[in-house]
């Protein structure tokens, strides 16, 4: 993009591509999410769409930069001064660097989450800034395990919906159902739909695969809060414990209501 100088900061114009997040854009330009927000006067929780042009500061943040330090080593006769290298080094393992940066950027998020009622945060917080709070996770799950997940889920069709239930006496709520099915297949995911929406690898809507978790905001205002979850079955359908139907059902993702309140997907492994 075209680079400009504002004060002492160098910025560039950047167009958001499909699947990109505030974090990946900031990381790519060696800056922070906060600085990108400030440069574009973005509100916290604002959802960014592909094709939008952003003003992005360049080279303002280097998490692995070695600070210049002086170490004095005393011998019996001499005092030796050892200076650390000024060279900027990046780790060979990208995941380690990514985890460090994620930890730094999500610290304020974790604090804000504690202060919000019902642990509600926006979809921007979940899908743009938190990739996987427990480690990066795999982007794929074996075909056999996916088949087993779907097979088990379908055996629960018609089972009664009970808020807070995780399988006791054959009853479930939405996240209790997904937690139960995944646990029986050796994958331990968080208990609530809110926390499940932060777990695993992010999956775009165009790349959904059988067995993926899909998340919804079924509230009237549709502000992007996650309050419902189901398991994608393929062919535009998903299985979920529905509070409206009072049981485990299969629903089309093309149905207007669920299509409009869809907010994202994850692939636990």
């Amino acid at each position: 993009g075209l680079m400009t100088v504002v004060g002492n900061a160098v910025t560039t114009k950047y167009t958001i591509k499909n699947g990109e997040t505030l974090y990946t854009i900031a990381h790519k330009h060696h800056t922070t999410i906060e600085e990108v927000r400030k440069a574009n006067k973005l509100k916290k929780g604002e959802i960014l769409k592909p094709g939008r042009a952003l003003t992005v500061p360049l080279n303002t943040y280097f998490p692995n930069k070695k600070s210049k330090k002086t170490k004095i080593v005393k011998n019996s006769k001499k005092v030796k001064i050892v200076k650390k290298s000024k060279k900027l080094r990046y780790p060979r393992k990208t995941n380690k660097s990514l985890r460090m940066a994620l930890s730094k950027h999500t610290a304020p998020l974790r604090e804000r989450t504690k202060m919000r009622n019902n642990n509600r945060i926006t979809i921007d917080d979940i899908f743009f800034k938190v990739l996987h709070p427990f480690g990066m996770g795999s982007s794929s799950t074996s075909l056999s395990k996916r088949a087993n997940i779907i097979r088990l889920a379908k055996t629960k069709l018609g089972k009664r919906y009970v808020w807070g239930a995780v399988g006791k006496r054959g009853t479930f709520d939405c996240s209790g159902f997904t937690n139960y099915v995944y646990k029986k297949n050796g994958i331990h995911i968080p208990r609530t739909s809110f926390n499940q929406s932060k777990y695993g690898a992010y999956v775009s809507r165009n790349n959904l695969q059988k067995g993926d978790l899909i998340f919804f905001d079924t509230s009237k205002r549709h502000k992007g809060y996650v309050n419902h979850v189901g398991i994608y079955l393929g062919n535009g359908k998903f299985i979920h414990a529905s509070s409206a139907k009072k049981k485990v059902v299969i629903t089309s993702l093309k149905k207007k209501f669920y299509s409009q309140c869809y907010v994202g997907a994850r692939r636990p492994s």
Side-chain angles (χ1 to χ4, degrees):
L2 180 65
M3 289 191 293
T4 58
V5 179
V6 180
N8 293 325
V10 178
T11 64
T12 185
K13 285 290 183 182
Y14 185 80
T15 302
I16 301 173
K17 297 180 180 63
N18 189 32
E20 287 191 312
T21 68
L22 275 181
Y23 170 74
T24 60
I25 292 170
H27 185 69
K28 181 185 295 184
H29 294 90
H30 302 295
T31 187
T32 65
I33 290 173
E34 289 76 13
E35 291 190 57
V36 175
R37 277 211 180 102
K38 184 177 179 181
N40 295 275
K41 297 182 179 178
L42 298 176
K43 296 179 181 179
K44 291 183 178 180
E46 184 173 345
I47 298 176
L48 303 181
K49 296 182 179 179
R52 179 172 176 176
L54 297 179
T55 299
V56 183
L58 296 174
N59 302 320
T60 65
Y61 176 67
F62 295 93
N64 302 299
K65 187 173 182 179
K66 303 289 185 179
S67 58
K68 181 180 177 182
K69 293 183 180 180
T70 301
K71 182 180 179 181
I72 300 178
V73 182
K74 292 185 179 181
N75 293 324
S76 58
K77 295 182 179 180
K78 296 181 180 180
V79 176
K80 184 179 181 181
I81 297 178
V82 181
K83 290 187 178 180
K84 288 192 175 181
S85 170
K86 298 179 182 178
K87 186 178 179 180
L88 179 63
R89 296 179 181 176
Y90 290 96
R92 292 181 180 178
K93 293 184 179 180
T94 306
N95 282 353
K96 183 178 180 181
S97 174
L98 191 56
R99 285 196 298 272
M100 290 171 61
L102 279 172
S103 178
K104 176 180 176 63
H105 286 302
T106 58
L109 169 64
R110 291 192 294 272
E111 290 302 315
R112 290 204 310 276
T113 302
K114 293 177 184 177
M115 299 172 64
R116 299 193 185 186
N117 292 333
N118 301 321
N119 278 342
R120 287 185 168 183
I121 63 175
T122 66
I123 201 63
D124 174 62
D125 289 328
I126 298 170
F127 289 100
F128 278 25
K129 283 183 289 189
V130 183
L131 296 180
H132 196 319
F134 312 105
M136 283 304 296
S138 171
S139 62
S140 63
T141 305
S142 69
L143 290 175
S144 60
K145 184 159 287 189
R146 288 177 184 280
N148 289 337
I149 286 171
I150 290 174
R151 187 179 300 112
L152 176 60
K154 286 183 175 179
T155 66
K156 304 303 177 184
L157 276 171
K159 294 297 183 180
R160 192 159 56 97
Y161 175 96
V162 174
W163 187 86
V166 291
K168 188 175 182 180
R169 296 180 181 176
T171 59
F172 305 91
D173 66 10
C174 66
S175 56
F177 174 65
T178 53
N179 177 278
Y180 173 90
V181 172
Y182 269 85
K183 185 177 180 180
K184 289 293 184 181
N185 282 279
I187 300 174
H188 296 270
I189 62 176
R191 167 65 184 89
T192 65
S193 59
F194 165 79
N195 284 326
Q196 287 177 13
S197 68
K198 298 187 292 180
Y199 188 91
Y202 169 78
V203 181
S204 67
R205 190 164 181 170
N206 293 332
N207 293 312
L208 285 172
Q209 293 183 17
K210 295 179 180 180
D212 288 344
L213 293 178
I214 53 178
F215 301 92
F216 304 90
D217 170 14
T218 61
S219 63
K220 291 182 179 179
R221 295 186 179 182
H222 296 303
K223 288 189 174 182
Y225 299 130
V226 170
N227 63 3
H228 190 61
V229 59
I231 299 173
Y232 188 66
L233 299 176
N235 298 320
K237 295 182 180 181
F238 67 101
I239 187 169
H240 59 128
S242 169
S243 59
K245 299 290 185 181
K246 302 297 182 184
K247 60 184 178 180
V248 176
V249 295
I250 292 176
T251 305
S252 173
L253 192 55
K254 296 176 183 178
K255 190 174 180 180
K256 186 176 180 180
F257 175 78
Y258 285 103
S259 180
Q260 289 181 344
C261 66
Y262 175 94
V263 292
R266 292 281 181 184
R267 188 170 298 157
S269 60

